[in-house]
C-alpha cells in the first residue's frame, strides 16, 4: 500500500508546490496547474504521473478526487479571504477530504459512512492547521478565518499587521476552534474502519490533530508569539494512546 500512498502524495505535493512556492506569477501558476490536470489524463513520461496512473488503475481511484484537489490549489492562487464557514468547508472538501477518501480506497474501503467520517477528520486537520499557521498565512496575504466569525466582534486587520492577537480575533478563533473540535469528534469512527497498521496511523493522526488544537487554544490563539507544534513528549503520549488506551468514547479524549 505504501508505494501507492506515495504516488498520491507525490501528485498532491507537486501541485501544492506549484500553487505555493515563491517566484511565480499567478498566471504562471494557473497555467502549470492546468497542465498538471491534463497530465492526469494523458500520462506523460514522468515518474509522478506514471506511478499515479498505475495506482489509479490498480485501485480504480476516481479521477474526480484528483480534479477536486487541483481546483483547491487553483483557489489558493486566486482567493485569499473567506466570507462564510460554509465557503471555507467547501474549500476543505476539495483540498483535504479527497486525500482521506483516496487513502480509504487504497485500504479497500469505499462506503458512504467511512467517507463521511473521513471528511470530518480531514477538514478538522486542515482547519487546525489554519489556526496554527494564522500568523504565517497572514504574512503571505491570506486569512482563512471566515469574516462571519470575526466581523461581529469588529476585529481589526491592523491588529494582525502588528502581530497582536486581540480579544476580538480571539473570540472569532474560539468559535472556529469549537467547530473544528466537533468535526474531530464527528469523524473519530473512521480510525477503526480499517485494520492493520493503518488503523493505528489514523488514530495517531487524529490524536495529533486534537493535540495541536489543544495547544492553539492553550496559548490563547497567540500564534504570532508562539506557534504550537508537537514535541517528542507529545509523540510518546500519542503513541501510547493510539496503541494501548484508545477509549470507547470520543468525548473522553477530546482534550489531553
Amino acid at each position: 500500500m505504501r508505494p501507492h500512498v506515495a504516488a498520491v502524495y507525490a501528485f498532491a505535493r507537486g501541485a501544492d508546490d506549484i500553487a505555493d512556492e515563491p517566484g511565480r506569477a499567478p498566471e504562471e501558476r494557473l497555467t502549470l496547474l492546468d497542465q498538471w490536470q491534463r497530465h492526469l489524463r494523458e500520462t506523460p513520461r514522468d515518474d509522478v504521473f506514471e506511478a499515479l496512473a498505475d495506482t489509479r488503475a490498480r485501485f480504480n481511484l476516481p479521477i474526480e478526487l484528483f480534479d477536486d484537489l487541483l481546483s483547491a490549489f487553483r483557489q489558493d492562487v486566486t482567493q485569499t479571504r473567506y466570507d462564510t464557514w460554509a465557503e471555507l468547508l467547501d474549500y476543505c472538501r476539495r483540498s483535504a477530504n479527497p486525500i482521506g477518501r483516496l487513502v480509504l480506497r487504497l485500504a479497500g474501503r469505499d462506503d458512504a459512512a467511512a467517507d463521511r467520517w473521513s471528511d470530518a477528520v480531514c477538514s478538522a486537520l486542515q482547519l487546525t492547521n489554519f489556526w496554527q499557521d494564522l500568523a504565517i498565512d497572514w504574512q503571505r496575504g491570506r486569512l482563512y478565518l471566515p469574516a462571519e466569525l470575526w466581523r461581529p466582534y469588529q476585529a481589526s486587520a491592523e491588529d494582525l499587521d502588528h502581530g497582536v492577537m486581540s480579544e476580538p480575533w480571539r473570540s472569532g478563533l474560539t468559535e472556529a476552534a469549537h467547530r473544528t473540535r466537533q468535526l474531530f469528534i464527528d469523524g473519530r469512527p473512521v480510525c477503526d474502519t480499517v485494520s492493520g497498521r493503518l488503523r493505528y496511523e489514523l488514530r495517531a493522526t487524529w490524536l495529533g490533530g486534537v493535540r495541536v488544537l489543544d495547544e492553539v487554544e492553550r496559548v490563547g490563539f497567540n500564534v504570532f508569539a508562539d506557534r504550537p507544534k508537537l514535541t517528542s513528549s507529545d509523540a510518546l503520549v500519542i503513541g501510547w494512546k493510539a496503541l494501548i488506551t484508545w477509549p470507547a468514547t470520543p468525548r473522553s479524549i477530546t482534550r489531553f
Side-chain angles (χ1 to χ4, degrees), residues 50-105:
E50 287 178 350
L52 185 64
D54 176 66
T55 294
R56 284 180 50 216
R58 287 174 183 263
F59 293 90
N60 193 29
L61 300 180
I63 197 169
E64 292 80 9
L65 293 176
F66 298 96
D67 288 336
D68 282 346
L69 284 170
L70 289 174
S71 76
F73 292 134
R74 288 192 190 90
Q75 189 165 316
D76 275 334
V77 176
T78 61
Q79 184 170 347
T80 59
R81 299 287 190 277
Y82 291 83
D83 290 327
T84 67
W85 185 256
E87 188 181 6
L88 183 60
L89 286 184
D90 180 68
Y91 171 78
C92 293
R93 177 186 65 80
R94 290 172 288 116
S95 67
N97 299 3
I99 296 296
R101 291 191 178 210
L102 288 166
V103 169
L104 285 178
R105 279 149 184 75

Side-chain angles (χ1 to χ4, degrees), residues 126-188:
Q126 176 86 86
L127 293 166
T128 298
N129 184 245
F130 289 156
W131 319 144
Q132 178 189 29
D133 283 348
L134 185 143
I136 296 171
D137 289 332
W138 184 256
Q139 292 167 1
R140 294 174 177 172
R142 290 178 180 167
L143 178 65
Y144 289 98
L145 185 67
E148 71 176 6
L149 294 188
W150 58 262
R151 191 171 287 150
Y153 300 103
Q154 299 181 335
S156 170
E158 291 184 1
D159 291 336
L160 301 186
D161 287 338
H162 291 96
V164 175
M165 182 51 62
S166 61
E167 193 57 39
W169 285 107
R170 188 174 287 111
S171 296
L173 283 163
T174 297
E175 174 62 22
H178 173 76
R179 297 184 186 193
T180 302
R181 190 174 295 279
Q182 187 59 53
L183 285 169
F184 274 120
I185 294 171
D186 292 344
R188 181 184 174 279

Side-chain angles (χ1 to χ4, degrees), residues 11-12 14-20 26-40 49 69-77:
F11 167 84
D16 190 31
D17 287 345
I18 291 171
D20 271 347
E27 296 77 11
E28 182 184 4
R29 297 181 193 278
L30 294 173
T31 297
L32 289 171
L33 288 170
D34 287 344
Q35 183 183 66
W36 211 253
Q37 188 159 27
R38 288 195 299 273
H39 289 347
L40 268 176
F49 286 95
L69 284 170
L70 289 174
S71 76
F73 292 134
R74 288 192 190 90
Q75 189 165 316
D76 275 334
V77 176

Side-chain angles (χ1 to χ4, degrees), residues 146-237:
E148 71 176 6
L149 294 188
W150 58 262
R151 191 171 287 150
Y153 300 103
Q154 299 181 335
S156 170
E158 291 184 1
D159 291 336
L160 301 186
D161 287 338
H162 291 96
V164 175
M165 182 51 62
S166 61
E167 193 57 39
W169 285 107
R170 188 174 287 111
S171 296
L173 283 163
T174 297
E175 174 62 22
H178 173 76
R179 297 184 186 193
T180 302
R181 190 174 295 279
Q182 187 59 53
L183 285 169
F184 274 120
I185 294 171
D186 292 344
R188 181 184 174 279
V190 75
C191 299
D192 293 322
T193 61
V194 295
S195 59
R197 180 174 177 175
L198 182 59
R199 169 176 290 186
Y200 299 101
E201 291 177 345
L202 290 183
R203 289 179 179 181
T205 299
W206 190 93
L207 287 162
V210 171
R211 179 59 169 167
V212 171
L213 185 61
D214 288 346
E215 286 299 294
V216 171
E217 290 184 305
R218 183 186 65 79
V219 300
F221 303 99
N222 190 12
V223 292
F224 291 96
D226 181 11
R227 179 186 182 273
K229 54 184 180 294
L230 297 180
T231 66
S232 56
S233 297
D234 291 324
L236 290 174
V237 173

